[in-house]
Amino acid sequence: MTRSYDLIVIGAGMAGVSAANKCASQGWNVAIVDALPYGGTCALRGCDPKKILRRGAEIIDSARLMRGKGIDDEGLSLNWTDLMKHKHGFTDPVPRNMEGSLAGNGIDTLHGLARFTDKTSIEIDGTPYHATHFLIATGARPRPLEFPGHEHLVDSTDFLDLEILPPRIMFVGGGFISFEFAHISARAGSAPVIVDRGARPLKAFDPDLVELLITRGTGVGIELQRSTTITAIEQTPTGYQVSVERSGQAESREFDLIVHGAGRTPDLSSLDLDAAGVAWDERGVHVAAHLQSTTNPAVYAAGDSANTPGMPLTPVAVFEGKVAASNMLKRITAVPDYAGVPTAVFTIPELARVGMLEQEARDEGIDLDVRYSDTSGWYSNYRIGETTAAAKILIDRSSDRIVGAHLLGPEYGELINFLALAMKLDLTTRQLKSMTTAYPTVGSDLGSML
Ligand SMILES: Cc1cc2nc3c(=O)[nH]c(=O)nc-3n(C[C@H](O)[C@H](O)[C@H](O)COP(=O)(O)OP(=O)(O)OC[C@H]3O[C@@H](n4cnc5c(N)ncnc54)[C@H](O)[C@@H]3O)c2cc1C
């Protein structure tokens, strides 16, 4: 007999789990399914493991910055095997704990690859299930690449599980994954090269701060090749020969490892969405602003797999999952609030953003006051020996409100949260400046940035 539910959630990552718990807490009969161990990308293959590995790299970098300032870093090294064990200490228990917590909330936890068979039915490894509502929360996967030899690339999941970090690593694509992993690798003793086909990497971030970050990266041995296209990769007895083209010139070089950092795309191909009459494309499931499928009212989508105005980030997946759940439960059409969502690239130091880019604000015709500070000489950075740090705050002169904020510096991934809160609560810079912060903290630098 086909089992029937009020809601089946496909994908046990942040979006799916938030929605499943919310609906179950309101008495709905809920099942959730994942083809992989429970936990999703962020906890198992993304944000959390990455930042554990970064911690090792941070310590190496911090010690080097204090060389001659009271710290002797000679002989200090990163033990990749032990750092990886430290990572596993966090990630390994996640699936069992998460599944246990869902089951404790009365949710049926299923395993396998789900695919639709009609508008209100799915099949999981041959077993049929029916539901009145579905949430597609299947996340994203690395974008397919076309050049010959692309099958030799490893992806971000493989990188975060490497038993040995080899010396010669190429990162394909100038996005946040390549930059973060290159910054870790450089401090772990490898020689990373980032290849980007465009002239400007990290396009979603402030170009002035990105250039500073690139210079800082060069100083620790990260090579960036811009406007460079990979033409082929061939396996050799000693590694992989990568052929590239730059300004019409062909070049070739050997690496031990080539990592895909060239973007991610919604993971929808296994779902047979056409069988359910769910419209979709390579940007995700087509949903209305309240996250319901535009073509099948039984289906909602949230997180990286949905085509929404939200960035593919964990906090966005969480709040979209909750809004979708609430809309299904209450039969309403509430729209997620995407204002003031901050994002950070966890390089060393980190690069962070909330709100508009300077160019976007100018294109909108905002009467802009750009407050740029080179903060490298400020007390907080002098104290730790950091040489590269800056802030660019974009203020609408007419309202005294922040329309965008861009930060590059140690702990600025925390500092950006203040600016995000100010934007979310619609505070003026005058109100924000009136905040008293503990001194001396990085937060106490905020007033001077405004
Ligand atoms: C290396 C890396 C680093 C990142 N760092 C950050 C960061 O620092 N901060 C941040 O905010 N975001 C970060 N992200 C992005 C963040 O991880 C995602 O935005 C977030 O995890 C998306 O959550 P989700 O619930 O939409 O999907 P996911 O967490 O990806 O979950 C989707 C789940 O669906 C399952 N699934 C897919 N298809 C099927 C099917 N047919 N049947 C059954 N199950 C299926 C998958 O197995 C997966 O477990 C990072 C991503 C990566 C890859």
Side-chain angles (χ1 to χ4, degrees):
M1 199 183 75
T2 302
R3 290 222 49 186
S4 202
Y5 293 91
D6 296 317
L7 167 68
I8 296 178
V9 174
I10 308 174
M14 297 314 291
V17 168
S18 319
N21 280 327
K22 197 171 169 81
C23 290
S25 74
Q26 297 304 307
W28 272 22
N29 184 16
V30 178
I32 186 166
V33 56
D34 205 302
L36 293 175
Y38 276 46
T41 303
C42 184
L44 300 176
R45 304 177 288 277
C47 338
D48 295 338
K50 158 194 95 183
K51 222 176 159 200
I52 290 181
L53 299 187
R54 181 195 190 249
R55 179 67 188 141
E58 275 177 286
I59 288 170
I60 300 288
D61 193 74
S62 299
R64 286 185 186 154
L65 291 177
M66 289 295 286
R67 189 180 291 165
K69 299 182 177 76
I71 297 294
D72 181 1
D73 68 316
E74 207 179 311
L76 184 71
S77 66
L78 190 153
N79 183 320
W80 186 260
T81 310
D82 286 354
L83 186 60
M84 208 38 101
K85 270 193 214 144
H86 182 46
K87 184 214 81 163
H88 279 291
F90 174 81
T91 53
D92 291 358
V94 168
R96 192 168 27 91
N97 291 345
M98 189 171 277
E99 210 174 322
S101 155
L102 287 159
N105 292 340
I107 297 164
D108 281 357
T109 55
L110 311 173
H111 294 268
L113 200 62
R115 71 174 185 86
F116 282 92
T117 47
D118 65 37
K119 280 180 178 259
T120 52
S121 307
I122 59 167
E123 202 176 74
I124 302 169
D125 295 340
T127 308
Y129 296 87
H130 171 269
T132 38
H133 300 86
F134 287 88
L135 180 74
I136 297 172
T138 51
R141 62 189 165 88
R143 184 170 67 81
L145 298 173
E146 303 294 338
F147 51 77
H150 64 84
E151 68 277 7
H152 298 306
L153 268 67
V154 303
D155 64 18
S156 54
T157 302
D158 302 319
F159 179 88
L160 292 171
D161 253 344
L162 283 177
E163 282 178 17
I164 294 165
L165 191 72
R168 303 170 301 172
I169 311 178
M170 171 182 272
F171 294 96
V172 179
F176 81 96
I177 292 178
S178 291
F179 270 77
E180 291 179 337
F181 288 1
H183 272 253
I184 293 170
S185 310
R187 274 61 173 218
S190 295
V193 176
I194 301 172
V195 171
D196 190 21
R197 65 181 174 187
R200 206 189 114 199
L202 293 173
K203 279 198 202 63
F205 291 84
D206 180 80
D208 297 330
L209 301 193
V210 168
E211 290 308 318
L212 289 176
L213 176 64
I214 290 168
T215 306
R216 174 76 158 84
T218 307
V220 298
I222 299 168
E223 184 181 331
L224 171 67
Q225 297 187 355
R226 306 174 199 241
S227 308
T228 302
T229 309
I230 297 178
T231 50
I233 298 178
E234 277 172 285
Q235 193 159 15
T236 67
T238 49
Y240 300 97
Q241 196 69 31
V242 181
S243 302
V244 300
E245 195 183 287
R246 188 176 331 122
S247 315
Q249 300 273 32
E251 287 174 27
S252 169
R253 192 155 145 194
E254 197 179 68
F255 290 89
D256 304 306
L257 182 75
I258 308 159
V259 183
H260 187 315
R264 291 169 63 81
T265 184
D267 190 1
L268 299 172
S269 52
S270 60
L271 284 170
D272 201 354
L273 291 176
D274 298 338
V278 172
W280 65 285
D281 64 19
E282 74 285 353
R283 281 164 302 163
V285 176
H286 291 190
V287 288
H290 65 282
L291 307 175
Q292 188 172 25
S293 159
T294 52
T295 51
N296 178 347
V299 172
Y300 287 68
D304 287 5
S305 58
N307 184 1
T308 70
M311 287 180 280
L313 294 171
T314 291
V316 176
V318 171
F319 72 65
E320 284 186 349
K322 287 182 181 167
V323 170
S326 174
N327 286 342
M328 287 187 266
L329 284 163
K330 298 180 193 157
R331 295 169 188 267
I332 56 172
T333 54
V335 173
D337 177 5
Y338 296 101
V341 176
T343 177
V345 184
F346 290 100
T347 45
I348 303 169
E350 61 241 45
L351 175 67
R353 163 191 181 170
V354 61
M356 286 190 233
L357 291 169
E358 184 178 346
Q359 193 56 51
E360 288 169 349
R362 292 197 189 285
D363 291 346
E364 284 216 0
I366 294 170
D367 181 13
L368 213 54
D369 183 2
V370 179
R371 300 198 187 150
Y372 181 87
S373 318
D374 173 354
T375 62
S376 61
W378 292 15
Y379 168 77
S380 307
N381 292 316
Y382 171 82
R383 185 180 72 86
I384 61 173
E386 178 57 68
T387 54
T388 308
K392 186 190 276 188
I393 318 281
L394 311 174
I395 296 156
D396 182 342
R397 265 186 243 270
S398 64
S399 65
D400 189 35
R401 284 180 171 78
I402 297 164
V403 296
H406 304 272
L407 306 176
L408 172 70
E411 295 184 52
Y412 286 4
E414 297 291 342
L415 195 57
I416 200 76
N417 295 324
F418 282 111
L419 293 149
L421 186 68
M423 288 182 71
K424 186 103 185 164
L425 300 184
D426 205 25
L427 301 180
T428 62
T429 68
R430 215 181 147 83
Q431 287 171 313
L432 189 56
K433 266 175 175 261
S434 72
M435 172 179 68
T436 305
T437 50
Y439 187 84
T441 58
V442 170
S444 62
D445 288 344
L446 186 60
S448 310
M449 292 175 178
L450 291 166

